[in-house]
Amino acid sequence: MGQIEWAMWANEQALASGLILITGGIVATAGQFTSWWFGTYSIVAGVFICLLEYPRGKRRKGSTMERCGQKYLTKVVKVLGPLSRNYYIRAVLHLGLSVPAGFLLATILGTACLAIASSIYLLAAFHGEQWTPIEPQPKPKERPQVGGTIKQPPSNPPPRPPAEARKKSSEEEAAASAGVSGGPQENPVPVVDEVV
Amino acid sequence: VMAFWILNESLSILLGLSWLGVNLYLFIDTFSWYEEEESFLYTRVILGSTLAWARASAVCLNFNCMLILLPISRNLISFMRGTSTCCRGPWRRQLDKNLKFHKLVAYGIAINATIHIVAHLCNLEHYRRSQSTEAEGLLAALAKLGKTPNESYLNPIRTFHTNTITVLLTTIAGVTGLIISLAFILIMTSSTEFIRQVSYELFWYTHHVFIIFFISLAIHGAGRIVRGQTPESQLLHNVTFCKDHYAQWQAAAQCPTPQFSGKEPSAWKWVLGPVVLYTCERIIRFWRFRQEVVITKVVSHPSGVLELHMKKRNFKMAPGQYVLIQCPSISWLEWHPFTLTSAPQENFFSVHIRVAGDWTEALCKAFGAGGQARKESWSLPRLAVDGPFGTALTDVFHYPVSVCVAAGIGVTPFASLLKSIWYKCESHTQLKLSKVYFYWICRDPRAFEWFADLLLSLETLMSERGKAHFLSYHIFLTNWDENQAVHIALHWDANTDVITGLKQKTFYGRPDWNHEFRQMAYTHPSSNIGVFFCGPKALSKTLQRMCRLYSSADPRGVHFYYHKESF
């Protein structure tokens, strides 16, 4: 089990706890149960936890599947700096958030789940894991022209001699001194007007 | 046969809908029962409809918990597949979709559990409120029941000042309910696709919490908290009349005090069978794991493919099936599927393993593939083999003409099939099958050159036996570059194919299916032709279309029957 990144599981667990807290909170508040104000607290805490945990952190190695639309929240969570990066802080935060919800029956399941998530985060922090935001990939370099095997387009009009003759003639030209620039096109191969 | 084909496609949807139908039926039936049943009339006075919601979802939970262990008992499934004659054709193929069904049932449990928990939360609150001094009338009368010795109580919460959390933690139902919910949530959060990718071990180990789940489920109802009127009391105490005369319950002979008792737990009755079956399944798996697998040959192909020949007692296979292989020295948990590439007639079974991930890489290294020093047979790692599983390709032999199309890695089941065909020809058995067309579409033939070797040896053997026209194969390379094209063009006139060395030439690009099917329809004007495919979905759709297009309307004409793979 050495390769596990505990934070990934803690993240799933915390997100689930957030949703459970919200549900329990809604039931208690809507039904006006005894001490229903704890229910309202649970809804608020649940929403906060869901928003915090929604952006998945980057795995240490391998590719990470992003959650749908998480990049907007990633920006916000990144702003929190060490509060969101450090998993010790997250563990303590989740433990703290879970306590008030433990006073109401409807949300006690949320408390238990969040406490478990907090302990997994603690384990992750012991292993030195950190939350790294998933940055959008920089655009890949412009692909080289398709058909790079296509040689330079011909520079002289047809009729063109085969490649060898062209090469030889360019060597001769290079060997000859002082470029002959411009001037009328000199066909290396004598052109014969064939009328058949 | 059209009906057969439609049945194939929609059987999964049909099974899913029947599951949903049974759930809805159980839910609605139980719901109406609890809403109308007289013995629960007084309970309903306190709780309202939430009683029915809780009980109905409980019955659905029982049903789904019963079902959830069945799809993952793979040995049970192969047993069903192997023995029963009723499990032919499309029904057999459904057995391959077991994991999808397992997940569906898990979602069913999640939804019903949510309903059940919310309903019981409301129930506890209603019980508590009915004990308050502000409660009046019938409600108050019912709440007071049980205070004197010869009365049985209705309300499990005895005083207004009871904290509902204490009720949760001191009753069997409460504690087991909490444990069950936590176990289920842990299983769900560690089973998401992402976590399965990140760490399969975490998923697998955490999933074993289901043992705690089932034990707690069995004792969840032992507290008998949900109470209804006893049948004896119902005879003496006419509910419809007496409910309005609650003030006179003690005194009047007409309405003696109603007596209540709790409902006995029923969850264990639902889940006992599957739990026993699953226990047998794990025992079988362990026994198979202990069975000796002898490795008789290890071949390391230059393209990074490892071929293993193995023997195991009482191993019987059919072409197209796969086995699960485990290598304890690499990982205790992982079983990986590999299609069998040997024919049933051979006295060993073989698999071809290509490096495609951590486990396969470790396996190939352990067996000395990749040009390392030869390993002695005692230093080879031990393997465990479970299987064979999967649908067999034996339908190929039921047609006079068969067409097999393999794309890329889909070629592996056909290795087994082609060898099997060869053996059947060799043994001069009377074969209904007289012609096989084999199409192999491939991007990189080098990865499968072991298969090309197989085709080459088959080609030679067939022509030696004078059966050169039995098997006709066409290889299509869809990925080629300029250098290859030049090379091929230069050697176009050579006798054998330059890439594969086979007499039949390799084609470049994708096959023109219209042309191929037209050709086959022309050559075999009145036969039934079976088409078997293994590869990507897009090509599957194309082939299906071709089969429909080129089957003639005349019942005596040519007919193509498409067999959707799940090898």
Side-chain angles (χ1 to χ4, degrees):
Chain A
M1 296 248 266
Q3 302 283 331
I4 297 180
E5 287 190 51
W6 293 98
M8 298 294 135
W9 184 31
N11 172 268
E12 302 276 339
Q13 181 71 14
L15 194 59
S17 317
L19 291 170
I20 294 171
L21 279 173
I22 296 176
T23 314
I26 291 177
V27 169
T29 318
Q32 294 278 294
F33 289 179
T34 333
S35 324
W36 59 270
W37 42 88
F38 284 114
T40 327
Y41 161 80
S42 294
I43 299 176
V44 173
V47 169
F48 171 71
I49 292 169
C50 284
L51 289 174
L52 176 65
E53 297 289 342
Y54 190 74
R56 231 182 229 137
K58 201 151 98 165
R59 281 173 67 186
R60 270 196 289 216
K61 57 172 192 169
S63 63
T64 320
M65 255 164 57
E66 276 191 28
R67 290 205 179 97
C68 181
Q70 80 169 44
K71 55 182 190 240
Y72 308 107
L73 276 170
T74 314
K75 292 200 194 100
V76 175
V77 175
K78 215 168 64 165
V79 161
L80 292 172
L83 280 178
S84 61
R85 207 173 41 235
N86 188 315
Y87 283 143
Y88 281 112
I89 296 182
R90 270 206 209 194
V92 171
L93 176 71
H94 285 322
L95 196 59
L97 284 174
S98 68
V99 170
F103 288 103
L104 180 64
L105 179 64
T107 50
I108 206 171
L109 184 60
T111 303
C113 291
L114 196 56
I116 293 177
S118 157
S119 33
I120 307 176
Y121 264 129
L122 199 63
L123 193 58
F126 276 147
H127 285 256
E129 295 176 29
Q130 282 205 84
W131 187 81
T132 10
I134 301 180
E135 305 288 343
Q137 293 289 339
K139 279 208 169 44
K141 284 211 309 264
E142 280 293 311
R143 294 177 127 242
Q145 285 288 334
V146 175
T149 52
I150 296 178
K151 320 293 191 270
Q152 278 284 338
S155 47
N156 33 346
R160 289 182 276 271
E164 299 87 78
R166 260 183 275 148
K167 258 197 223 144
K168 274 201 211 129
S169 65
S170 64
E171 277 167 20
E172 281 170 14
E173 280 180 34
S177 53
V180 179
S181 56
Q185 169 62 32
E186 295 216 21
N187 286 322
V189 172
V191 176
V192 175
D193 240 329
E194 277 182 40
V195 179
V196 181
Chain B
V1 188
M2 264 304 263
F4 213 59
W5 168 77
I6 297 174
L7 195 63
N8 227 356
E9 310 287 308
S10 44
L11 201 54
S12 328
I13 305 177
L14 225 66
L15 283 174
L17 285 177
S18 1
W19 169 82
L20 193 61
V22 174
N23 269 295
L24 284 173
Y25 167 73
L26 286 171
F27 195 93
I28 294 173
D29 186 58
T30 318
F31 191 87
S32 2
W33 193 86
Y34 274 92
E35 282 282 84
E36 277 144 36
E37 173 63 19
E38 270 199 5
S39 55
F40 282 94
L41 191 138
Y42 287 132
T43 326
R44 284 200 295 278
V45 168
I46 305 183
L47 297 179
S49 295
T50 42
L51 167 71
W53 281 101
R55 296 303 320 154
S57 55
V59 171
C60 286
L61 279 172
N62 285 338
F63 175 62
N64 284 311
C65 290
M66 174 184 79
L67 287 181
I68 197 147
L69 285 177
L70 299 175
I72 35 155
S73 306
R74 57 170 187 250
N75 284 296
L76 164 72
I77 292 175
S78 357
F79 175 75
M80 269 172 61
R81 205 204 297 276
T83 56
S84 78
T85 42
C86 82
C87 273
R88 303 237 71 217
W91 291 100
R92 256 205 212 139
R93 255 151 272 198
Q94 294 313 312
L95 293 174
D96 291 323
K97 301 211 172 119
N98 53 348
L99 279 180
K100 284 209 184 105
F101 188 63
H102 181 77
K103 289 179 202 170
L104 182 67
V105 175
Y107 285 127
I109 293 182
I111 294 173
N112 279 300
T114 313
I115 299 176
H116 186 78
I117 294 175
V118 170
H120 272 317
L121 285 175
C122 298
N123 285 340
L124 277 180
E125 189 62 25
H126 288 151
Y127 272 139
R128 210 188 74 95
R129 278 188 197 160
S130 74
Q131 291 285 12
S132 93
T133 41
E134 291 158 8
E136 293 170 347
L138 182 55
L139 197 61
L142 287 170
K144 288 203 192 67
L145 283 175
K147 292 216 163 87
T148 55
N150 59 348
E151 278 178 3
S152 53
Y153 67 90
L154 170 60
N155 190 339
I157 294 186
R158 307 304 308 144
T159 67
F160 184 64
H161 297 290
T162 317
N163 191 335
T164 40
I165 296 184
T166 324
V167 175
L168 177 82
L169 297 174
T170 50
T171 51
I172 295 180
V175 172
T176 51
L178 186 62
I179 294 176
I180 292 176
S181 316
L182 280 177
F184 189 67
I185 292 168
L186 284 176
I187 291 179
M188 288 288 259
T189 54
S190 62
S191 311
T192 61
E193 195 180 329
F194 181 62
I195 297 289
R196 270 181 283 138
Q197 271 178 19
V198 169
S199 169
Y200 192 82
E201 294 161 318
L202 178 70
F203 154 69
W204 183 239
Y205 278 136
T206 316
H207 235 74
H208 283 79
V209 171
F210 77 86
I211 301 173
I212 300 179
F213 178 92
F214 275 98
I215 295 175
S216 308
L217 180 66
I219 53 179
H220 184 59
R224 301 171 198 239
I225 281 189
V226 177
R227 300 170 75 82
Q229 204 174 356
T230 59
E232 303 86 25
S233 174
Q234 274 182 294
L235 288 173
L236 299 170
H237 176 113
N238 184 333
V239 170
T240 20
F241 174 74
C242 294
K243 69 176 192 301
D244 302 311
H245 297 83
Y246 49 87
Q248 287 106 35
W249 276 350
Q250 273 294 41
Q254 254 184 321
C255 293
T257 328
Q259 303 294 330
F260 297 95
S261 65
K263 190 182 163 305
E264 57 167 39
S266 59
W268 66 272
K269 296 178 199 158
W270 289 83
V271 303
L272 185 66
V275 165
V276 167
L277 275 172
Y278 189 70
T279 316
C280 294
E281 157 79 24
R282 292 302 284 258
I283 294 175
I284 292 176
R285 278 194 209 174
F286 183 71
W287 176 67
R288 284 217 181 171
F289 167 76
R290 305 276 311 153
Q291 272 184 324
E292 210 183 329
V293 173
V294 178
I295 301 171
T296 54
K297 192 166 167 186
V298 177
V299 179
S300 173
H301 292 275
S303 46
V305 171
L306 181 71
E307 179 180 345
L308 293 174
H309 289 211
M310 294 173 273
K311 279 194 191 212
K312 192 168 167 227
R313 199 191 296 224
N314 292 332
F315 187 86
K316 292 206 179 26
M317 60 162 281
Q321 292 193 304
Y322 65 92
V323 287
L324 290 167
I325 297 185
Q326 186 212 41
C327 185
S329 56
I330 300 177
S331 165
W332 277 94
L333 302 171
E334 297 178 46
W335 290 79
H336 290 252
F338 293 100
T339 316
L340 289 163
T341 48
S342 56
Q345 292 88 348
E346 293 170 319
N347 63 353
F348 60 88
F349 63 94
S350 73
V351 292
H352 282 72
I353 301 173
R354 210 164 55 107
V355 175
D358 288 340
W359 190 87
T360 33
E361 201 181 313
L363 189 75
C364 288
K365 223 191 328 199
F367 277 89
Q372 294 167 333
R374 263 232 325 240
K375 290 222 162 186
E376 297 298 333
S377 52
W378 63 78
S379 66
L380 291 176
R382 186 169 102 74
L383 289 183
V385 171
D386 198 1
F389 304 106
T391 35
L393 270 172
T394 40
D395 286 344
V396 168
F397 295 103
H398 297 162
Y399 294 92
V401 179
S402 279
V403 178
C404 299
V405 181
I409 196 167
V411 86
T412 11
F414 293 107
S416 170
L417 180 71
L418 290 176
K419 282 194 211 173
S420 179
I421 290 177
W422 158 243
Y423 277 103
K424 289 210 167 158
C425 281
E426 263 288 83
S427 65
H428 300 291
T429 41
Q430 276 293 70
L431 271 187
K432 190 172 172 198
L433 185 62
S434 60
K435 177 86 183 164
V436 176
Y437 290 94
F438 183 68
Y439 290 88
W440 183 19
I441 301 135
C442 187
R443 288 169 78 168
D444 183 8
R446 280 173 310 207
F448 301 102
E449 62 174 322
W450 60 269
F451 190 76
D453 284 343
L454 167 68
L455 281 181
L456 183 58
S457 56
L458 272 178
E459 186 181 46
T460 338
L461 290 168
M462 288 286 189
S463 54
E464 275 174 18
R465 292 278 182 281
K467 283 201 172 155
H469 298 289
F470 183 87
L471 178 65
S472 129
Y473 49 86
H474 314 269
I475 305 173
F476 291 83
L477 277 187
T478 54
N479 193 21
W480 46 274
D481 63 28
E482 209 181 86
N483 290 328
Q484 266 188 315
V486 168
H487 183 62
I488 289 159
L490 286 174
H491 293 91
W492 192 249
D493 293 327
N495 202 13
T496 54
D497 184 84
V498 66
I499 301 267
T500 52
L502 295 160
K503 284 219 176 62
Q504 299 193 19
K505 300 297 175 63
T506 310
F507 295 87
Y508 304 97
R510 296 204 184 86
D512 178 0
W513 293 113
N514 277 303
H515 174 252
E516 303 295 334
F517 273 79
R518 203 178 304 131
Q519 191 77 349
M520 282 189 279
Y522 179 70
T523 327
H524 307 277
S526 55
S527 325
N528 288 332
I529 304 182
V531 177
F532 300 84
F533 171 67
C534 184
K537 263 199 176 58
L539 187 49
S540 171
K541 287 196 166 49
T542 313
L543 287 172
Q544 266 178 285
R545 209 167 14 107
M546 291 294 138
C547 288
R548 281 201 295 271
L549 215 56
Y550 286 94
S551 294
S552 88
D554 184 355
R556 286 164 306 169
V558 65
H559 285 277
F560 289 95
Y561 296 101
Y562 183 70
H563 286 254
K564 191 138 174 238
E565 47 57 62
S566 58
F567 333 122

